[in-house]
Amino acid sequence: MRPTPHLMRAVASATQRQNSVSFIGLGRMGSEMAYNLFARTLVESNGTARFIVCDAREATSETFMRNFVTHFPGAQVQIANTPAEALRASRTVVTMLPSSPHVRNVYVEEDGIVSALRSLPSEVAQSTLCIDSTTLDVAVACTVAGEVERAGAAIVDAPVSGGVAGAKAAALSFLVGGPEKAFKLAYPHLLHMGKNVIYCGDSGAGLVAKICNNLILGVQQIVVAESMLLGQKLGLDPQVLASVINSSTGACWASSVNNPAPGALPDKAPPCERDYDGGFATSLMLKDMGLATDLADSTGTPLPLGNAAEKIYADVVSEDPELSNKDFSSVYRYLRVSRHL
């Protein structure tokens, strides 16, 4: 029996979906991650893969598409207007969003991923993998994962460590939570965007690991800023002080890579050399500190330094709103001019 035109279209659509990857959320991190994921998948597929991007701002999607096609002429990149469209177009969907409300919106609200999954034949839904790299509330993530799994698809939480520089260099660390089967499906895609992929346990475990890591980072960045300011007040050259710290027991990423004092790292280009533009926004670090203190409250875990750091970042954002979207190392600038501390 010859296939009808409708069946032929259905088969073609299924084939395209199997060979497609969608990326939702093209912010500072997401755009770099999507670029590396698409570029390496394109090479791996010998140029046959198809890509779909989706962002709340269509202009952002258009800019990304133009840039990618400029570097990879002939690449198939399309723009989805909704998360549901992105899901229907691809078997693999990666999301990188600002916070919990955005994840709920993309996954479970109208025109979201879950509603799209429910509209698909069961065998198609069951072949779908969702990877969420957002740092968000653990309870929200587990609820969303349950909705996705009940709709038939697999999902992992895979928050990242490494910042914008790590995303650009495909050197991120992925901290993954979810069923082991889903982790194994996600692993090759994550390797296209990073160099370390660590399985942390069941759904939500990757987020717990990420929040604990960022709790350390948020506290460290403040004390590095304090140390650099104190040393300079007492006459030390910032490059000399940074060299001491980075070769001694105070060494940490917040000093050796993201040092907040201009001139401290002449062989590198931390955000402080660009008036703190780029990098990890202070507002996002405040969000992560809030996630940590919320978890601490719910488990009865004392966080004296975490609570103090959260208040400092909150003060930075409220008292100097310009720093909200600048790298969180701009806490150095806030402390330098603050009259309240």
Side-chain angles (χ1 to χ4, degrees):
M1 179 176 117
R2 294 180 61 191
T4 65
H6 175 75
L7 179 59
M8 291 180 70
R9 284 196 299 272
V11 171
S13 176
T15 301
Q16 281 189 330
R17 189 174 188 272
Q18 182 176 347
N19 201 35
S20 300
V21 178
S22 291
F23 202 107
I24 302 174
L26 299 171
R28 292 176 186 171
M29 293 289 293
S31 59
E32 302 292 356
M33 292 166 64
Y35 185 94
N36 287 321
L37 175 62
F38 290 2
R40 295 182 178 191
T41 301
L42 188 67
V43 171
E44 188 177 69
S45 71
N46 294 317
T48 62
R50 188 172 68 111
F51 308 107
I52 293 86
V53 292
C54 181
D55 192 87
R57 295 159 295 188
E58 187 175 348
T60 300
S61 294
E62 291 173 349
T63 299
F64 177 90
M65 180 179 67
R66 285 195 300 269
N67 178 57
F68 191 82
V69 173
T70 297
H71 288 89
F72 295 93
Q76 302 176 69
V77 183
Q78 296 174 302
I79 296 172
N81 293 317
T82 66
E85 285 185 13
L87 185 284
R88 292 190 189 101
S90 300
R91 186 169 67 170
T92 302
V93 179
V94 183
T95 52
M96 183 59 165
L97 305 164
S99 62
S100 302
H102 305 85
V103 170
R104 278 193 294 260
N105 180 262
V106 164
Y107 277 87
V108 300
E109 300 297 332
E110 185 178 1
D111 287 327
I113 284 172
V114 171
S115 65
L117 284 168
R118 290 171 178 160
S119 73
L120 297 174
S122 61
E123 67 274 12
V124 176
Q126 289 168 12
S127 70
T128 302
L129 170 67
C130 296
I131 300 171
D132 183 34
S133 287
T134 310
T135 301
L136 72 156
D137 180 83
V138 176
V140 172
C142 291
T143 298
V144 168
E147 292 281 347
V148 170
E149 290 169 349
R150 281 189 289 276
I155 183 171
V156 295
D157 51 279
V160 304
S161 179
V164 176
K168 189 176 184 67
L172 293 170
S173 292
F174 285 91
L175 316 174
V176 188
E180 285 195 57
K181 182 178 178 181
F183 168 71
K184 290 175 181 177
L185 292 172
Y187 186 82
H189 300 291
L190 299 176
L191 277 183
H192 286 332
M193 299 179 282
K195 64 179 183 180
N196 298 306
V197 181
I198 304 166
Y199 182 59
C200 300
D202 293 337
S203 292
L207 282 163
V208 171
K210 171 62 187 295
I211 291 167
C212 290
N213 179 76
N214 273 24
L215 170 64
I216 296 170
L217 176 61
V219 171
Q220 283 181 330
Q221 195 66 73
I222 293 171
V223 76
V224 168
E226 291 175 339
S227 177
M228 296 302 297
L229 286 167
L230 178 62
Q232 289 175 89
K233 283 281 189 180
L234 295 170
L236 278 178
D237 180 277
Q239 183 178 344
V240 171
L241 179 54
S243 178
V244 170
I245 294 170
N246 297 338
S247 60
S248 305
T249 52
C252 58
W253 185 90
S255 176
S256 64
V257 175
N258 212 47
N259 197 292
L265 301 176
D267 57 336
K268 297 180 181 177
C272 67
E273 304 297 351
R274 304 183 299 277
D275 192 28
Y276 303 98
D277 285 335
F280 187 63
T282 307
S283 59
L284 293 179
M285 177 51 79
L286 174 59
K287 177 205 74 174
D288 288 359
M289 298 304 291
L291 292 173
T293 55
D294 286 347
L295 285 175
D297 288 343
S298 69
T299 58
T301 305
L303 293 187
L305 292 181
N307 285 319
E310 181 186 15
K311 183 180 184 306
I312 291 172
Y313 287 117
D315 289 345
V316 172
V317 169
S318 65
E319 295 178 23
D320 193 346
E322 181 191 0
L323 299 183
S324 178
N325 291 318
K326 290 185 179 288
D327 185 74
F328 73 109
S329 62
S330 61
V331 67
Y332 172 92
R333 194 176 91 177
Y334 169 80
L335 293 173
R336 189 185 63 201
V337 302
S338 176
R339 297 177 181 177
H340 306 294
L341 299 173

